[in-house]
Amino acid sequence: MMNKMKEGVDVLKHVCPVCKDEVSENLGQHIKKVHGVNEFSKAVLKAKEKGMRDPEIGVLFNITFRELEKIITEVYGINISVLKKPKKIKGWVPIDFKEATTTVWSFKQRGNWATHDGRYRGNWSPYIPRNVILKYSQPGEVVLDYFVGGGTTAVEAKLLGRKCIARDINPAAIGLTKENLKFACYQKYPIYEPEVSVGDATDLSDIANNSIDLICAHPPYAGIINYSSKVEGDLSKLDIDEFLRRMAKVAKRSYDVLKPGGKCAILIGDTRKKKHVIPIGFQTINVFLNAGFKLKELVIKRQHNCKTTGFWYAKSIKYNFLLLAHEYLPIFEKPKSSVVSSLKERAGDYKMVVPALEKPLLKRKLDELETTTVWILPEKDFEERLNKNVIDRYSERKGYSIISFICYSNNETKFIEETKNRGKRLLFIKSAFLANNPSQSKVEFYLKKIKEIINWDLPKITKGGFIVIQTQDVRIDGYVEPLAKRFVDSICPDSLWLKEIVVITQEGQNSYTDTTEKRLKITHQYLLVYEKKDRSEYV
Ligand SMILES: C[S@@+](CC[C@H](N)C(=O)[O-])C[C@H]1O[C@@H](n2cnc3c(N)ncnc32)[C@H](O)[C@@H]1O
């Protein structure tokens, strides 16, 4: 299709696959102009079927990745990355599999045992449902995935001897799931063939109440990937507000069909709009909490397909934003009985100390700093490295204040302030102190105090300046109190944008292997980065 030509100078010429003429203009433009859009789509698909890589197709036909996905989705009915099934089964179990024991899950290899492959665009790594199914269900119990896509959860349920109800709104996805379930293998568990059918997750009326042991599902995130071109009810076509409204229905019906004590694991990520983060993850957690669920765990799933080179990397440096590199996997529980709040203590016994400290400012260029939303820092100088990253990235050498909360004992909390150049560009509130001794009253005090500090300090921050809050999830009475989410829910003065949600963790901490502990060890914290708006941007 492609020839190099001509006297002296190398000019790229292409042979048009339709008329066989040699064309020196862009091949895509030529086919569209001379032969029409249908021939253009056919030519693109043919290149894809031959195994040409997406970036090469992009250059050859002058189309974006989105346009390519659209052509494939329209013709095949689903969004698939490889048109011919390349699969030869290499094994039935993951090699060296260890169950996750901490709240940060990271699978560098996505997993290609059994019939799993990356063909269905946006499918999740089989390590996720495998971990969830092993932790929260027993052989013979019923697992429901109502967003089953290419069938990853159903395949894992079958391999692990669980019964499975697998649904998806898209008939073509259900076809792919059925294809992926066509296997028989020797295994230590009894085999239950999953019940696979087309269905809408917002309507589970044919599933009996209190009949499901575990829900394990991965919704489309409000238009980030399009999963179909014409399927009515496909949530991937909705804007965020409508997506959340539909997810509220899903949550309500999930609550009804789960047995009391049953778990519901939902993988969900954030998105970015105009360089600011839209916290779809925390908003979706709210939707499930509002339906009556309790939060049993909040896992951070690292993403490894996030490129630190190329177009987005260059943009992220230019506009000072981080590449999204994590998703949330909240594990909800339908409580066995209604849980009584333990709010007995009064939030009175706290002191505050405000000495001013000086600290050297380390100057580094932005491109030497962490570039994604997951920062993994060495244990040895964790706090120091963290401070440097925050100060360098967000103070822009125009001054900063750090306020650190410290908890000395059960009922004594202090905060210390250190300031460099009062004409503040950055207010950094370091407040991971609740980990040792959390209680509901301390949480409420802490949230209130930090909001007061923000309200007090906000006028002193220059426009375009930043407020950064370091915080972490804590466990109270067996459930997770997601403090970062609580802040995001409650800090929304007209004058602040939520710019980033960063996850921070220590190197090596996530290889923690004590599997006797049923609960996951919380090994991550968060940085919530707010940017002060210009007056013209106030709502
Ligand atoms: C992120 S994908 C799931 C991928 C799946 N975990 C896998 O590994 O293949 C989301 C799926 O939700 C489906 N979907 C969208 N709206 C739906 C709805 N209302 N009911 C059921 N499925 C829906 C899409 O067709 C898509 O297959």
Side-chain angles (χ1 to χ4, degrees):
M1 199 181 276
M2 207 184 301
N3 282 334
K4 272 193 167 181
M5 291 279 296
K6 225 156 185 164
E7 312 114 284
V9 195
D10 272 355
V11 176
L12 274 183
K13 285 211 170 189
H14 308 283
V15 176
C16 168
V18 188
C19 61
K20 309 294 177 210
D21 283 353
E22 263 188 2
V23 283
S24 53
E25 65 182 320
N26 178 276
L27 182 61
Q29 276 162 6
H30 163 82
I31 302 176
K32 262 192 207 156
K33 204 163 66 192
V34 179
H35 308 291
V37 180
N38 278 348
E39 289 300 331
F40 172 78
S41 300
K42 273 195 218 161
V44 169
L45 280 175
K46 214 166 180 182
K48 182 84 189 156
E49 276 159 9
K50 280 191 176 158
M52 189 181 271
R53 290 172 53 245
D54 293 349
E56 288 164 359
I57 294 179
V59 173
L60 185 60
F61 293 97
N62 193 26
I63 52 171
T64 63
F65 184 61
R66 275 265 177 191
E67 288 163 337
L68 172 60
E69 281 191 325
K70 199 163 169 251
I71 292 174
I72 294 172
T73 309
E74 266 168 13
V75 173
Y76 282 80
I78 45 174
N79 194 342
I80 38 182
S81 54
V82 181
L83 302 187
K84 284 205 185 89
K85 193 166 167 68
K87 192 77 204 196
K88 205 170 148 216
I89 293 183
K90 296 193 181 109
W92 295 103
V93 285
I95 299 164
D96 295 337
F97 175 75
K98 285 200 189 86
E99 245 186 77
T101 54
T102 73
T103 52
V104 180
W105 293 9
S106 171
F107 312 110
K108 283 208 175 103
Q109 306 298 328
R110 68 178 318 284
N112 65 352
W113 65 92
T115 50
H116 298 303
D117 60 27
R119 203 152 61 118
Y120 191 51
R121 193 103 57 192
N123 62 358
W124 60 2
S125 157
Y127 283 108
I128 302 171
R130 190 173 197 88
N131 267 290
V132 170
I133 290 171
L134 286 170
K135 277 181 196 310
Y136 303 112
S137 70
Q138 297 298 322
E141 289 189 343
V142 187
V143 177
L144 167 65
D145 185 348
Y146 35 57
F147 296 119
V148 80
T152 316
T153 310
V155 169
E156 278 309 296
K158 178 170 169 181
L159 289 172
L160 295 169
R162 272 66 170 175
K163 295 172 186 156
C164 180
I165 301 178
R167 305 232 167 131
D168 199 283
I169 195 112
N170 187 345
I174 286 302
L176 191 56
T177 295
K178 287 185 174 161
E179 197 185 307
N180 285 335
L181 281 167
K182 277 187 198 145
F183 64 82
C185 64
Y186 170 77
Q187 57 180 46
K188 62 179 181 177
Y189 303 106
I191 292 193
Y192 300 100
E193 282 303 332
E195 287 171 32
V196 185
S197 59
V198 174
D200 187 338
T202 61
D203 175 12
L204 306 176
S205 52
D206 58 329
I207 300 179
N209 284 356
N210 305 314
S211 65
I212 303 290
D213 296 282
L214 171 67
I215 295 172
C216 183
H218 175 201
Y221 318 154
I224 293 167
I225 295 183
N226 275 315
Y227 285 94
S228 67
S229 56
K230 298 185 193 80
V231 176
E232 190 71 19
D234 177 356
L235 303 187
S236 72
K237 296 172 180 308
L238 306 176
D239 65 23
I240 292 169
D241 289 343
E242 189 51 31
F243 169 76
L244 291 170
R245 268 194 286 279
R246 300 279 184 94
M247 283 304 287
K249 281 194 182 171
V250 176
K252 165 84 184 67
R253 289 301 297 135
S254 301
Y255 191 90
D256 294 342
V257 299
L258 261 188
K259 290 179 184 166
K263 307 285 186 291
C264 172
I266 301 287
L267 184 75
I268 186 92
D270 295 329
T271 187
R272 203 178 272 292
K273 220 178 194 175
K274 292 187 186 157
K275 303 184 291 256
H276 293 91
V277 74
I278 311 289
I280 307 179
F282 288 162
Q283 289 168 340
T284 306
I285 292 176
N286 281 339
V287 157
F288 279 77
L289 295 178
N290 290 342
F293 282 104
K294 294 279 169 189
L295 189 58
K296 198 68 192 163
E297 300 286 356
L298 181 46
V299 172
I300 298 296
K301 197 327 225 103
R302 289 185 60 200
Q303 280 176 302
H304 291 282
N305 57 356
C306 170
K307 292 204 176 55
T308 46
T309 53
F311 175 80
W312 282 111
Y313 174 69
K315 283 235 176 243
S316 76
I317 297 293
K318 184 167 174 199
Y319 296 109
N320 188 9
F321 68 83
L322 300 167
L323 300 169
L324 295 176
H326 71 278
E327 293 165 293
Y328 306 88
L329 180 72
I331 318 274
F332 301 102
E333 181 181 270
K334 174 172 172 173
K336 286 200 172 113
S337 56
S338 57
V339 182
V340 184
S341 162
S342 64
L343 198 104
K344 293 183 207 105
E345 301 154 71
R346 283 188 316 116
D349 312 326
Y350 296 89
K351 285 185 193 160
M352 293 167 217
V353 181
V354 193
L357 296 179
E358 284 290 304
K359 200 159 189 226
L361 176 66
L362 185 101
K363 298 180 183 71
R364 278 195 293 171
K365 290 199 276 24
L366 271 187
D367 58 2
E368 290 168 9
L369 301 173
E370 298 297 323
T371 53
T372 75
T373 57
V374 178
W375 296 4
I376 301 173
L377 304 173
E379 187 186 349
K380 178 164 67 67
D381 51 359
F382 180 81
E383 290 299 330
E384 201 180 323
R385 287 280 290 273
L386 177 64
N387 292 356
K388 280 175 186 167
N389 262 286
V390 171
I391 293 168
D392 286 4
R393 187 173 271 278
Y394 297 113
S395 78
E396 293 165 0
R397 299 181 205 167
K398 291 181 188 150
Y400 66 89
S401 283
I402 299 183
I403 294 185
S404 307
F405 273 72
I406 300 164
C407 187
Y408 290 105
S409 67
N410 284 358
N411 57 5
E412 189 183 3
T413 302
K414 297 183 176 185
F415 65 81
I416 299 175
E417 180 171 346
E418 64 182 80
T419 302
K420 177 93 184 169
N421 294 342
R422 266 236 166 230
K424 274 186 262 172
R425 183 72 177 172
L426 163 70
L427 170 65
F428 183 17
I429 305 174
K430 293 178 65 70
S431 50
F433 80 102
L434 280 168
N436 295 335
N437 223 323
S439 68
Q440 204 61 51
S441 65
K442 276 190 187 170
V443 165
E444 300 312 323
F445 166 79
Y446 159 83
L447 291 168
K448 185 167 155 262
K449 204 77 241 164
I450 290 180
K451 275 192 271 175
E452 277 169 22
I453 293 172
I454 291 174
N455 287 339
W456 176 254
D457 274 52
L458 194 55
K460 296 179 223 155
I461 294 173
T462 52
K463 77 173 179 205
F466 297 96
I467 294 178
V468 178
I469 303 168
Q470 179 185 353
T471 189
Q472 72 183 91
D473 298 334
V474 293
R475 229 181 265 283
I476 300 175
D477 298 335
Y479 292 109
V480 171
E481 180 64 64
L483 288 177
K485 187 195 77 67
R486 292 283 308 270
F487 276 118
V488 171
D489 288 347
S490 61
I491 299 179
C492 47
D494 293 346
S495 47
L496 289 175
W497 294 107
L498 178 61
K499 184 172 172 76
E500 305 284 0
I501 301 174
V502 181
V503 169
I504 44 178
T505 185
Q506 286 180 6
E507 255 168 31
Q509 246 203 356
N510 296 303
S511 53
Y512 171 80
T513 50
D514 179 5
T515 40
T516 53
E517 179 64 70
K518 267 230 132 197
R519 300 182 310 192
L520 298 175
K521 185 177 174 198
I522 299 177
T523 51
H524 69 279
Q525 300 180 22
Y526 304 87
L527 293 176
L528 304 174
V529 181
Y530 288 91
E531 182 179 349
K532 186 164 173 179
K533 294 180 193 172
D534 282 348
R535 273 206 171 275
S536 60
E537 295 167 321
Y538 287 16
V539 217

